[in-house]
Amino acid sequence: MTDQAQVADVFLQESIRAFQSMKKLGDKAFAQTNEVFFYQSIDEGSNSLEVIIKHMHGNMLSRWTDFLTTDGEKEWRDRDGEFEEDRFSREELLARWEAGWEVLFATLGSLTAEDVLSLVRIRGESHTVLQAIQRQVSHYGYHVGQIVLLCKHWSSLDWQTLSIARGQSKLFKPTL
């Protein structure tokens, strides 16, 4: 394997790991949040958990379906509808969350090192596969951060931290 192919393979594996980490954060945050809070937003201009899940689901299906061969903004996607309140049940929302990630992971798992510099289109704009993946890492990281913030807000004092708890950093410092 060439050095370039090795780097491309490491990039794909690290991208999968990053997405797995994001999904895990979302899963753990949802598990701590009562269904009633899935439909509430912190203010009029903000999105609820329901809207964020619907948006991520729509984006994931659109971007990752036929990733190498069709534009990532599919004609069948109703992006504006993703931002409307529907009051889907928690189970329906989490099923959408899972379905979006399933398409993403199946697509990433099918990519090879040779695909990384191939060109794909998103809204008519050309991107290398590497650029398209990085675009989604940024986008989904942004929304998962919103999810964690909202779930933490709604769970309040019942929240169990998803990382190192305040005041506990010294327990995780390596000894020299």
Side-chain angles (χ1 to χ4, degrees):
M1 183 181 279
T2 67
D3 287 346
Q4 185 177 9
Q6 285 179 307
V7 170
D9 191 52
V10 168
F11 168 76
L12 289 171
Q13 295 311 309
E14 178 56 22
S15 297
I16 291 169
R17 190 211 59 76
F19 284 124
Q20 288 170 333
S21 177
M22 285 179 220
K23 182 181 182 306
K24 185 176 179 181
L25 285 172
D27 291 342
K28 287 183 174 184
F30 293 141
Q32 296 187 59
T33 306
N34 188 296
E35 181 174 359
V36 69
F37 296 119
F38 275 60
Y39 316 102
Q40 296 183 22
S41 61
I42 55 175
D43 59 47
E44 193 174 309
S46 298
N47 294 319
S48 65
L49 291 169
E50 177 189 38
V51 165
I52 296 168
I53 292 168
K54 287 174 40 188
H55 171 59
M56 288 184 70
H57 171 258
N59 182 278
M60 288 175 174
L61 294 184
S62 185
R63 294 293 183 268
W64 300 105
T65 299
D66 301 324
F67 176 67
L68 293 174
T69 58
T70 64
D71 192 295
E73 187 66 21
K74 306 296 187 280
E75 290 182 24
W76 43 258
R77 182 179 181 200
D78 178 19
R79 186 180 183 282
D80 290 334
E82 295 165 12
F83 293 92
E84 297 172 5
E85 299 287 341
D86 288 312
R87 301 290 292 193
F88 289 120
S89 71
R90 176 191 187 101
E91 292 76 23
E92 290 172 308
L93 291 170
L94 294 180
R96 285 172 181 250
W97 171 257
E98 293 296 330
W101 287 108
E102 187 175 310
V103 172
L104 177 151
F105 288 125
T107 298
L108 282 180
S110 73
L111 297 176
T112 66
E114 292 76 33
D115 294 324
V116 171
L117 295 178
S118 297
L119 296 179
V120 295
R121 298 189 81 68
I122 301 173
R123 293 189 181 122
E125 185 180 328
S126 187
H127 301 272
T128 64
V129 165
L130 186 149
Q131 290 169 321
I133 291 171
Q134 283 301 109
R135 176 180 173 145
Q136 297 316 113
V137 166
S138 175
H139 185 207
Y140 301 155
Y142 170 80
H143 287 307
V144 170
Q146 291 175 321
I147 288 167
V148 171
L149 175 73
L150 287 172
C151 290
K152 182 178 180 183
H153 174 76
W154 300 128
S155 297
S156 190
L157 297 177
D158 294 328
W159 179 255
Q160 298 294 311
T161 188
L162 304 180
S163 62
I164 300 170
R166 288 183 185 195
Q168 301 299 311
S169 296
K170 289 181 182 176
L171 298 174
F172 293 92
K173 285 189 176 179
T175 56
L176 300 174

